[in-house]
Amino acid sequence: MQNQTEQSTLVSNTHRTISGQLAEWGIEFSQDRVAQLSIEQQSQLQTWINVGVDADEAYQTEFASLPEFMENELLEMSGELTTEPQETIVEQAINAYEAETPITNNPYLFDTAAWHLWRKAHCHWHHGESLDFANECILNSDQNEHQSTVSDIHQQLIQLFPQLNQTEHSLKILRHKLKKTKRQRKNFIQQQSQLLHQLCESLDSVTDEITVSPQREEVLQTLAPKTESTTGASLSQTIQANQYASLGSVTDGPIQLIRIPVTPPETNRVEVYLQQNSDGRWRVGHLWSVVANALTGQLSRGSRQPDQQQVTYPTEAKALINEVIYLSQGIIGVVEIECQILDYLNLLEEYPGQLAVCSKCHCHYVVDKDNHPDYCDQCYDASRASG
């Protein structure tokens, strides 16, 4: 126990000695910081101190550089670069010597060029050597210019730092506003979906009260959204492309039906209608009837016929894509269905001109050499199995 105490006291004295010797050069290196160094680093530092003491006693102009880890420490210390000319620094060194100021009291510790110049002038004056440093003027000038540039950049960075903080704060505010806008947009879409659903229910009730002629009754049964009691297999069986063809005018072409594939139940249906007018342009409409709530059986329904559209499109593909985009914007009110419509939109954009409509299920399929004419693979396999 006594040996351990003596060893601990010796180590503590070593740390205090190193810290005190560094303080003679104006280097504030506490005992705790010295204790954090490894044994090898303490040995290197002690060697540098011993060489420095010998150099100071002999008034040597230069001695070994600081260990690398010490230089890193000094870089973290605060200091200022001098702007004084060479003659002023030399004169300060001579005055310090005449006043018997120790060589260790060099005032330019953090300015390497000025520190060496002050020390060199101090030592030369002690030995009576020449103080003509004309050969170093150019070098010192370049170093001073470089140090001045570094100092200017440092000051600019200090000035830019508040602006950076302000920019970061403004960015946070903008992100918060963006999130708030997205929430408001989502709420608006939900409200719009609810209003459309209420409108569809109102139209259903009005349609039930109106007495229609036998000629119009068949058309209304085809186009109007069906009630929950009649939305079963009849919706998936009776709506076919030839039923819509009779709705166009004499000069307009037949209505083409394209079905967007959505998840079961089988009563779920999302369809797009395309019709070419006498000018060769395309009108587009749609119909949807999907289960909005599986527990209550509540339906989300809506429709719009091509002849109700004032907007026309130059090509069939452009008309189809625009109507699919419209259907994906939250008007149906069922997130899962709208996500599937977005997937279908990606399919249209990924395979432009490579899709055909199945004559049985009216869904798009990618045309390749292995397909059968007019049928998708699923319908063709189903027909073979039933045949």
Side-chain angles (χ1 to χ4, degrees):
M1 178 66 69
Q2 183 177 0
N3 292 335
Q4 291 181 354
T5 304
E6 292 177 355
Q7 185 177 4
S8 176
T9 303
L10 179 61
V11 170
S12 178
N13 291 338
T14 302
H15 296 166
R16 183 169 57 254
T17 301
I18 293 176
S19 177
Q21 290 173 324
L22 289 175
E24 295 181 3
W25 279 283
I27 301 175
E28 297 296 335
F29 216 58
S30 65
Q31 297 183 41
D32 293 338
R33 182 65 187 91
V34 176
Q36 295 174 5
L37 301 177
S38 64
I39 301 299
E40 181 180 0
Q41 290 177 329
Q42 292 182 19
S43 178
Q44 293 177 3
L45 189 54
Q46 186 63 67
T47 301
W48 180 84
I49 291 174
N50 295 337
V51 173
V53 171
D54 295 339
D56 288 343
E57 291 178 353
Y59 284 86
Q60 296 177 7
T61 303
E62 297 178 358
F63 58 89
S65 300
L66 277 168
E68 184 177 356
F69 66 88
M70 277 295 296
E71 291 182 353
N72 294 335
E73 290 286 342
L74 291 179
L75 288 176
E76 297 177 2
M77 296 181 182
S78 59
E80 296 180 359
L81 299 177
T82 181
T83 57
E84 297 176 346
Q86 179 181 5
E87 294 77 8
T88 302
I89 298 174
V90 172
E91 183 178 358
Q92 290 176 354
I94 296 173
N95 293 338
Y97 179 83
E98 295 296 340
E100 297 183 355
T101 302
I103 193 173
T104 55
N105 287 0
N106 191 323
Y108 302 107
L109 176 64
F110 302 104
D111 189 338
T112 305
W115 189 86
H116 284 291
L117 179 60
W118 191 94
R119 180 182 179 88
K120 189 172 185 178
H122 198 285
C123 295
H124 280 216
W125 186 258
H126 172 77
H127 294 294
E129 298 175 353
S130 172
L131 296 176
D132 183 12
F133 304 136
N135 295 333
E136 300 179 2
C137 287
I138 298 178
L139 178 61
N140 291 335
S141 176
D142 294 340
Q143 290 177 344
N144 289 336
E145 182 179 356
H146 173 71
Q147 292 169 354
S148 177
T149 303
V150 172
S151 179
D152 292 341
I153 294 175
H154 181 70
Q155 293 297 327
Q156 292 175 6
L157 291 176
I158 293 176
Q159 294 173 359
L160 290 175
F161 185 73
Q163 299 178 16
L164 179 61
N165 286 338
Q166 181 64 32
T167 302
E168 184 177 2
H169 179 68
S170 301
L171 183 59
K172 289 181 180 179
I173 295 177
L174 290 176
R175 286 174 178 170
H176 177 72
K177 290 182 178 179
L178 178 60
K179 290 182 179 179
K180 183 178 179 181
T181 302
K182 287 183 177 179
R183 287 196 298 268
Q184 292 175 346
R185 178 179 177 273
K186 184 178 179 180
N187 293 334
F188 174 76
I189 291 175
Q190 291 177 349
Q191 293 174 2
Q192 188 182 40
S193 300
Q194 293 175 358
L195 290 174
L196 285 173
H197 180 68
Q198 294 173 1
L199 178 61
C200 289
E201 291 182 345
S202 300
L203 289 175
D204 285 346
S205 62
V206 172
T207 304
D208 292 340
E209 297 174 0
I210 297 177
T211 303
V212 295
S213 63
Q215 291 81 5
R216 295 181 59 197
E217 183 175 4
E218 181 180 358
V219 175
L220 288 173
Q221 288 177 352
T222 303
L223 296 180
K226 298 183 179 295
T227 61
E228 294 186 16
S229 60
T230 62
T231 311
S234 61
L235 183 60
S236 61
Q237 298 289 336
T238 61
I239 302 180
Q240 300 296 334
N242 57 355
Q243 290 179 301
Y244 305 119
S246 62
L247 300 176
S249 66
V250 177
T251 58
D252 292 343
I255 293 180
Q256 300 181 23
L257 165 65
I258 296 178
R259 187 166 297 156
I260 298 177
V262 294
T263 54
E266 296 298 330
T267 55
N268 281 351
R269 185 176 296 272
V270 180
E271 297 172 342
V272 175
Y273 309 140
L274 297 168
Q275 183 181 40
Q276 191 174 27
N277 61 17
S278 58
D279 297 332
R281 295 180 67 85
W282 291 83
R283 290 192 181 96
V284 63
H286 62 259
L287 178 146
W288 84 82
S289 178
V290 298
V291 176
N293 190 320
L295 297 177
T296 63
Q298 180 185 359
L299 297 179
S300 174
R301 295 172 293 185
S303 66
R304 180 173 63 186
Q305 295 304 311
D307 56 2
Q308 298 173 341
Q309 282 280 70
Q310 298 297 325
V311 180
T312 60
Y313 301 93
T315 64
E316 177 184 1
K318 191 168 184 179
L320 174 61
I321 289 177
N322 277 274
E323 195 70 3
V324 174
I325 291 175
Y326 174 76
L327 289 172
S328 69
Q329 292 177 344
I331 63 171
I332 296 178
V334 181
V335 176
E336 183 180 8
I337 298 296
E338 290 161 358
C339 290
Q340 293 171 1
I341 293 176
L342 284 175
D343 293 337
Y344 176 73
L345 178 62
N346 293 332
L347 179 68
L348 294 178
E349 295 177 344
E350 185 177 357
Y351 298 99
Q354 304 178 45
L355 300 177
V357 180
C358 177
S359 9
K360 184 173 183 180
C361 69
H362 297 281
C363 292
H364 263 135
Y365 64 94
V366 180
V367 179
D368 56 36
K369 61 181 181 180
D370 297 329
N371 290 128
H372 303 277
D374 301 329
Y375 292 99
C376 65
D377 292 340
Q378 291 81 0
C379 292
Y380 181 79
D381 293 341
S383 63
R384 289 191 60 187
S386 60

